[in-house]
Amino acid sequence: VTHHRYLIVGGGMCSDAAVRGIREVDPSGDIAIVGAEADPPYKRPPLSKGLWKGDPLEKIWYGTESRGARLYPGRTVAAVDPVHGRVECDGGESFTYERLLLATGGSPRRFPFDDGGVVHFRTVADYRRLRALAERGKRFAVVGGGFIGSEIAAALATNGKEVVLLFPGEGIGGRVFPPDLSRFLNDYYREKGVEVRPGASVTAVEREGEAFTLRVEGAGAPDGGKVVVDGVVAGLGIEPNVSLASAAGLAVDNGIAVDEFLRTSRPEILAAGDAASFPSRVLGKRVRVEHEDNAKAMGKAAGRAMAGAPEPYLHLPFFYSDLFDLGYEAVGELDPRLDVVADWREPFRKGVVYYLRDGRVRGVLLWNVWERVEAARTLIAEAGPFRREDLFGRITDPA
Ligand SMILES: Cc1cc2nc3c(=O)[nH]c(=O)nc-3n(C[C@H](O)[C@H](O)[C@H](O)COP(=O)(O)OP(=O)(O)OC[C@H]3O[C@@H](n4cnc5c(N)ncnc54)[C@H](O)[C@@H]3O)c2cc1C
């Protein structure tokens, strides 16, 4: 059994931020990270963006060790024993702690029928695998029209691959964008050479030598219901990794449930990042956010709290993505089922989309409009009520 003052389970983006947070308060206390991946903490966003545009792989590493954290990579924590302040790994190793942070992130949803050939894209290991496939293959199927699917489809197409993008919904990003924008994106991707197949459900993936055959059903299925490719990437969303927490008796509510101080139902154990759900004061509800800004800000706050400087986590995280030459930043709840007010400067190319509930702005999408995240946060914090006409021109592009 090895003892560490601060122990972090999970070696992802949030854990690196937690180490920084601890170090702001405690310059020398002993920190360890136990992480399932073989790689040290790194930035995930470049895996589907910059690395496909020529950025070097070296740029992704955080260098968390240089802040004096001891890394135990390649270890999966199998159990947490809160009574004895101890965690146990799959291989039998165990660690004791004074303060514990669960930063276990999320795991990609998988096809039930995959034999291991599909890349369920999440890690740098998945990136390396897809790169190797892209070295030899020419035609790729990308399944899922959300963040990962849309980014990987663009990345592969930009690298000269033939891409078939399949998803059951009507449009790319249909869970966050209003329907007209989402349909525009289907056409935009087609213009970029991607074969976009909305309304297509993949029911099986069969492998024969180096080739894969996808069985496809639904209105968007091709004639014959088959797509044959050299590689398959899936972006089907993630499930938060909560099983350790629930087995340890910690409260779980769409994620490991924490309070404003990021404490689980056992106050000496904290949780943060994609795995954790927290009460958002400004949104007035418990949320779980699967984005970088949240992983960083919440991880840092958790680290500071572990080292004895707790403060309520009031940050409203933003997120962003790039879709070929289009890009956006967004804040709050982007749910197209809310009342949507679109203020386009140039239809679907540049503008701001507001998402309202009961006259309050709950989310803002800044579409090719930059440096307006703070203005969006301020608007979301305002009581309103807002009418459509109040919002036109409210957040404008500085340019
Ligand atoms: C390809 C890709 C692109 C992205 N692009 C963007 C973007 O453009 N913008 C944006 O805002 N967000 C983006 N994200 C999301 C962002 O990366 C995540 O929000 C962030 O990584 C969450 O950090 P985390 O530390 O909570 O979880 P993770 O980074 O997932 O780290 C969790 C770690 O915990 C480990 N772990 C889990 N269980 C155990 C266990 N029992 N024992 C030991 N270790 C365990 C996992 O192996 C993993 O390494 C992207 C994500 C991906 C995958």
Side-chain angles (χ1 to χ4, degrees):
V1 181
T2 316
H3 183 77
H4 291 286
R5 177 166 169 73
Y6 305 106
L7 188 66
I8 303 171
V9 181
M13 294 182 68
C14 183
S15 79
D16 174 77
V19 170
R20 291 167 199 254
I22 293 169
R23 281 287 171 261
E24 286 179 2
V25 181
D26 179 347
S28 59
D30 143 66
I31 311 173
I33 298 174
V34 185
E37 288 180 62
D39 294 288
Y42 57 89
K43 299 168 192 155
R44 290 187 201 279
L47 304 180
S48 52
K49 301 182 193 67
L51 295 184
W52 299 90
K53 295 178 188 160
D55 288 355
L57 188 62
E58 300 87 85
K59 273 179 60 180
I60 71 171
W61 312 111
Y62 280 118
T64 313
E65 327 70 282
S66 68
R67 271 171 285 279
R70 172 84 193 266
L71 300 186
Y72 296 94
R75 271 92 155 175
T76 300
V77 172
V80 176
D81 171 358
V83 176
H84 300 99
R86 183 180 163 124
V87 308
E88 267 165 52
C89 298
D90 261 354
E93 244 173 313
S94 56
F95 299 91
T96 51
Y97 59 82
E98 281 164 54
R99 297 276 184 280
L100 181 68
L101 173 65
L102 300 176
T104 47
S107 295
R109 278 189 205 110
R110 293 181 168 270
F111 285 126
F113 39 74
D114 172 42
D115 72 348
V118 175
V119 182
H120 293 90
F121 200 87
R122 177 80 183 170
T123 64
V124 66
D126 299 328
Y127 166 77
R128 292 186 183 109
R129 245 179 94 202
L130 184 59
R131 266 288 177 190
L133 282 171
E135 298 280 300
R136 6 179 244 272
K138 179 163 139 254
R139 188 171 161 80
F140 286 81
V142 178
V143 188
F147 291 99
I148 298 296
S150 57
E151 291 191 355
I152 289 291
L156 289 168
T158 311
N159 282 267
K161 304 299 164 189
E162 288 171 31
V163 179
V164 189
L165 177 62
L166 309 105
F167 49 89
E170 281 177 32
I172 293 169
R175 294 200 179 164
V176 284
F177 304 138
D180 54 353
L181 176 56
S182 169
R183 278 192 300 270
F184 162 80
L185 285 175
N186 291 351
D187 293 335
Y188 179 73
Y189 268 59
R190 285 178 183 131
E191 268 170 41
K192 300 281 176 187
V194 176
E195 183 180 328
V196 181
R197 296 197 163 274
S201 298
V202 176
T203 57
V205 178
E206 289 148 16
R207 189 151 46 151
E208 216 176 293
E210 305 259 283
F212 296 86
T213 300
L214 286 78
R215 304 267 162 201
V216 187
E217 286 179 2
D223 291 344
K226 274 203 293 190
V227 172
V228 181
V229 290
D230 303 311
V232 185
V233 188
L236 311 175
I238 62 164
E239 293 290 345
N241 291 322
V242 300
S243 58
L244 269 186
S246 51
L250 306 178
V252 168
D253 178 359
N254 173 35
I256 307 169
V258 297
D259 65 12
E260 276 195 341
F261 293 93
L262 313 184
R263 297 175 298 204
T264 66
S265 48
R266 299 263 327 193
E268 76 285 10
I269 305 180
L270 283 78
D274 282 15
S277 70
F278 63 95
S280 166
R281 239 189 244 183
V282 61
L283 295 177
K285 63 182 202 178
R286 178 168 287 280
V287 295
R288 192 172 61 74
V289 178
E290 297 171 357
H291 297 294
E292 171 180 14
D293 179 36
N294 180 63
K296 286 186 181 162
M298 202 178 179
K300 190 165 154 193
R304 290 180 59 89
M306 287 167 91
E311 274 161 38
Y313 182 60
L314 302 177
H315 185 64
L316 182 61
F318 83 99
F319 61 96
Y320 63 95
S321 179
D322 296 333
L323 310 160
F324 291 102
D325 320 319
L326 298 171
Y328 66 85
E329 294 178 325
V331 198
E333 276 181 78
L334 265 67
D335 181 343
R337 295 167 299 184
L338 299 181
D339 301 326
V340 172
V341 176
D343 183 8
W344 293 113
R345 286 285 190 85
E346 197 187 322
F348 311 129
R349 297 276 172 179
K350 190 187 182 103
V352 179
V353 180
Y354 301 91
Y355 298 72
L356 291 87
R357 182 186 289 120
D358 303 327
R360 283 195 71 171
V361 178
R362 306 288 67 194
V364 178
L365 170 65
L366 302 161
W367 191 261
N368 278 332
V369 168
W370 305 102
E371 293 173 27
R372 281 292 182 265
V373 169
E374 262 330 303
R377 283 196 179 111
T378 306
L379 189 60
I380 291 170
E382 279 183 34
F386 293 99
R387 292 161 307 163
R388 302 180 84 82
E389 51 273 32
D390 300 330
L391 294 169
F392 287 118
R394 177 96 188 197
I395 295 178
T396 44
D397 188 15

